[in-house]
Amino acid sequence: MLVLGLETSCDETGVALYDSERGLLADALFSQIDLHRVYGGVVPELASRDHVKRMLPLIREVLEQAGRAPADIEAIAYTAGPGLVGALLVGASCAQALAFAWNIPAIGVHHMEGHLLAPMLEEQPPQFPFVALLVSGGHTQLVRVDGIGRYELLGESLDDAAGEAFDKTAKLIGLNYPGGPEIARLAEQGTPGRFVFPRPMTDRPGLAFSFSGLKTFALNTWQQCRDAGDDGEQTRCDLSLAFQQAVVETLTIKCKRALKQTGLKRLVIAGGVSANKALRASLEQMLAGIKGQVFYARPKFCTDNGAMIAYAGCQRLLAGQRQDLAISVQARWPMEQLPAI
Ligand code: KG4
Ligand code: ZN
């Protein structure tokens, strides 16, 4: 089955063509980062308008890349939530209009299920069951995964998501949006041990996270440095390193706990923050210690993309799931509500 995937939940227009027999045939992405950078974050109305502009040219681009014609497409998968409603509606209406015109099915995909399944596009995909750490701009969750749609939430953030903490902390110290890659870049030049941030909620049992305190800790430390006239590039690097180490160690401790609690040895990390090299290295070390294995997608499929939506939608379509032509999207949508296949 040849599936066209459309992703428009936030500030990236992602389009891909996935074939259930041959795998991923083509993918294209337009990132709106430059559009939103001057505002220091995503402006929803601008995001929606830009998705409208990019969608059809990107669809033509993937068809050309794959050497396929519109008539070859057998189904369309689009992100139906969670995300920005205006942005989601662009992908949903485009998908439903094309599906109606081409007389093929369309299916709404859960954005976080897309992220969760993105490592399945790699050469050595993980086998079920596994523990998944979902770390994006909007979510930080530990999930036990027994199959597609068989999700048990083990723990999640009580406040900011990990990616959100990266973005907010970066903004506080004067770095560009999105902050995750910026902090990771500066951390490479950081002085180990100059600042030490807390590891929130690791001193008590459980799998919940809380990252908003780290942002406040960063703000106070940065203000002290500024008062002392020490707010140059090196201090930004040192703060970036200390912040990143705190997030990485906290996530590693909780992943280890989740594996112990479930008795599983396979860990999947997905979502934008899973592109972070320090996080990957720390988890690989931890998994090596317990003779387990960690799986993740190539960096461009960690952040938002159309390939993960095409893949997830294809699996559900192959299992016979169908939906009507209604254009409905959801800003909030717990992943545990998804049907199993
Ligand atoms: O999954 P994603 O593209 O979008 C959402 O679904 O939210 O995740 C975006 C988040 C942003 O907060 C961004 O700062 C973070 O992922 N991010 C990173 C890195 N690359 C992206 N955080 C840390 N290190 C990175 N290398
Ligand atoms: Zn995402």
Side-chain angles (χ1 to χ4, degrees):
M1 178 184 278
L2 183 64
V3 180
L4 173 71
L6 309 179
E7 155 61 36
T8 64
S9 69
C10 191
D11 59 345
E12 251 116 25
T13 320
V15 177
L17 273 176
Y18 178 81
D19 185 306
S20 54
E21 303 292 313
R22 294 180 188 82
L24 187 66
L25 301 186
D27 67 286
L29 185 92
F30 184 87
S31 167
Q32 304 176 353
I33 285 175
D34 291 340
L35 182 71
H36 301 291
R37 184 171 282 137
V38 282
Y39 305 100
V42 179
V43 182
E45 178 61 21
L46 294 183
S48 313
R49 284 188 223 166
D50 207 59
H51 287 307
V52 173
K53 246 199 282 189
R54 310 290 169 191
M55 185 55 82
L56 294 180
L58 285 173
I59 294 175
R60 285 191 198 104
E61 192 180 321
V62 294
L63 282 167
E64 198 168 313
Q65 259 185 51
R68 297 300 181 101
D72 298 331
I73 299 173
E74 290 168 278
I76 306 181
Y78 62 93
T79 306
L84 303 170
V85 165
L88 290 166
L89 280 170
V90 177
S93 22
C94 185
Q96 293 287 26
L98 289 175
F100 180 68
W102 293 340
N103 197 22
I104 55 175
I107 191 163
V109 170
H110 191 291
H111 181 76
M112 296 312 292
E113 179 172 78
H115 276 304
L116 168 68
L117 299 177
M120 298 291 184
L121 292 164
E122 300 304 323
E123 243 167 54
Q124 293 201 326
Q127 295 200 325
F128 301 116
F130 53 75
V131 169
L133 172 71
L134 301 176
V135 269
S136 68
H139 294 79
T140 301
Q141 296 183 324
L142 274 164
V143 184
R144 184 194 160 105
V145 180
D146 285 289
I148 295 178
R150 296 172 64 200
Y151 308 131
E152 182 196 343
L153 183 66
L154 302 170
E156 64 183 333
S157 180
L158 305 176
D159 41 55
D160 291 353
E164 192 179 359
F166 268 98
D167 295 339
K168 288 181 176 170
T169 301
K171 199 170 179 179
L172 286 175
I173 61 172
L175 304 180
N176 273 334
Y177 171 83
E182 283 290 290
I183 288 197
R185 189 173 61 81
L186 266 64
E188 285 178 21
Q189 315 299 326
T191 318
R194 176 163 172 216
F195 302 113
V196 180
F197 279 54
R199 273 58 174 156
M201 300 188 72
T202 53
D203 57 351
R204 66 192 88 162
L207 295 170
F209 302 92
S210 167
F211 289 112
S212 68
L214 286 183
K215 175 187 63 196
T216 315
F217 194 90
L219 178 64
N220 293 340
T221 313
W222 179 238
Q223 270 171 350
Q224 281 163 19
C225 293
R226 286 177 87 162
D227 292 346
D230 186 11
D231 55 354
E233 191 66 4
Q234 189 56 48
T235 296
R236 282 196 176 88
C237 294
D238 297 345
L239 269 169
S240 295
L241 177 63
F243 169 82
Q244 179 175 271
Q245 280 180 332
V247 174
V248 165
E249 200 180 310
T250 303
L251 292 173
T252 305
I253 291 170
K254 295 286 163 101
C255 285
K256 191 173 179 182
R257 245 182 232 176
L259 290 167
K260 194 168 176 205
Q261 184 179 310
T262 54
L264 297 172
K265 298 259 183 195
R266 280 187 294 268
L267 178 72
V268 165
I269 54 170
V273 184
S274 70
N276 187 278
K277 285 190 199 143
L279 176 63
R280 292 173 171 207
S282 168
L283 290 172
E284 285 193 346
Q285 200 185 0
M286 184 270 282
L287 266 301
I290 60 164
K291 296 195 167 48
Q293 220 183 335
V294 60
F295 299 84
Y296 39 74
R298 69 198 90 164
K300 73 167 179 176
F301 294 157
C302 289
T303 44
D304 293 349
N305 65 86
M308 65 184 195
I309 301 304
Y311 177 84
C314 183
Q315 304 315 305
R316 291 193 169 275
L317 288 158
L318 288 174
Q321 288 186 15
R322 293 289 182 271
Q323 85 189 34
D324 60 21
L325 284 169
I327 297 170
S328 78
V329 298
Q330 281 175 268
R332 291 177 188 281
W333 185 6
M335 208 170 63
E336 308 88 87
Q337 287 179 358
L338 293 175
I341 69 168

